[in-house]
Amino acid sequence: MNIWFTNPDEILKKTTLVSRFLEYVKIDTEANPESTSFPSTKSQLEFGRKLLADLKALGLSDATMDENGYVFARYPGRVKGPCVGLLAHMDTAPDFTGKDVRPQIHENYGGGILRLKNGVVLNPAEDRHLPQCVGHTLITTDGTTLLGADDKAGVAELFALVEFLNQHPDIPIPPLSIGFTPDEEIGRGADRFDINRFGADIAYTVDIQFPGEINIETFCADTATLTFTGIAIHPGNAKGKMVNALRYAAKILERLPENERPETTDEREGYYNPSHISGNGAQAKLVIFLRDFAKKGLKKRGDFIRKLVSDVLKGEPRLRIHLAIIPRYRNMANVLKKRPEIARKAEESVRRAGLTPVFRPIRGGTDGANLTAKGLPTINLFSGSVNAHGPTEWVSTKAMGYAVCTLLNLLQLWGSDRGQ
Ligand SMILES: [Zn+2]
């Protein structure tokens, strides 16, 4: 018989969820986008080895780590059902330092402003989730680093799930495959993911977002790289001869629409985001990220850049511009539409935990998007943490408990159709 889990405090009391989370966030696992090694930092391999030992300590004796740092483990099923994959990533974002994280515990949060070091402030007037957590225990940074709850909350929650399942052999779950992945934050988390070794039929990443949130949509993403070749000549006798590559790179930038930038768009609106410019008068390089939720919309954005290039060339035929548009990732919703039960069961599991399901598109890419494209349909479920990638990152311990309740419900829904 299914038992629906609605009480986060039961999880917090019976498992090492919070102490394990506090232990893991203190371990620096920052990803490095400049690195060409895999994983991008050695610290992730060290953390992987630790997670491997910790899984074995919980009785998952067949847990393994491959040479790329992926840690996988199987939990035997108790009833029939597809093998459900649960994933969390080990790395933290390079946007803000993750070294020497000193988590601060605020018990029984009273609803006021929390002041951290370096003038960092958590203000309930500006942070819509804070007022929802009055009375909770909050874990924040000390203001000098990110927290790394993204995604060590997810990692600790998967461990708490295993601990809880070990204590309750009567919970009817199908076979489960647990995975910890490197380099999600730099978009490489799915690159060397061995779907066959993982062995799941469907999967969920457990990564950031407030309790109740489910993400089944990501952007479609392309990268446009423009290389401008001008004509270099001494400025002293440049009249009528010089063609300055930088000026034309600037012309392209100037013509990108004002209202289609990351800073002027939200929800399902796409954008153009110049991410890099370098060079000199003779040659310049400009990189623009193209983002849209629809494939058609993304194609239009590529066409728009092509049109800008041809317009600029018309004005200066001596200039050369090489344009390359490289696909990055695609909105996973297109594939997941064919497997609606994956989202439906996630929604049901959230509701069974006593929470309100919220579907929101992710304005970025995820491991899930890439895994879905590789053949493992994967959506994202909340881990509870908010304000990722910076010093205002925080998480409520109750929110983490809710994430484990939701996973317990989810597994039971896959293990039995009686719950629907
Ligand atoms: Zn994350």
Side-chain angles (χ1 to χ4, degrees), residues 89 150-151 184-185 207-208:
H89 65 87
D150 174 11
D151 184 24
E184 191 270 352
E185 297 291 2
D207 194 8
I208 62 172

Side-chain angles (χ1 to χ4, degrees), residues 24-31 43 91-103 117-118 141-148 152 393:
Y24 289 171
V25 293
K26 288 176 196 156
I27 302 171
D28 175 9
T29 58
E30 190 172 318
S43 58
D91 59 314
T92 65
D95 312 48
F96 206 80
T97 180
K99 195 170 166 350
D100 300 325
V101 172
R102 285 172 289 265
K117 281 187 192 164
N118 289 353
T141 72
D142 71 348
T144 63
T145 65
L146 51 64
L147 182 58
K152 282 159 184 160
E393 188 182 8

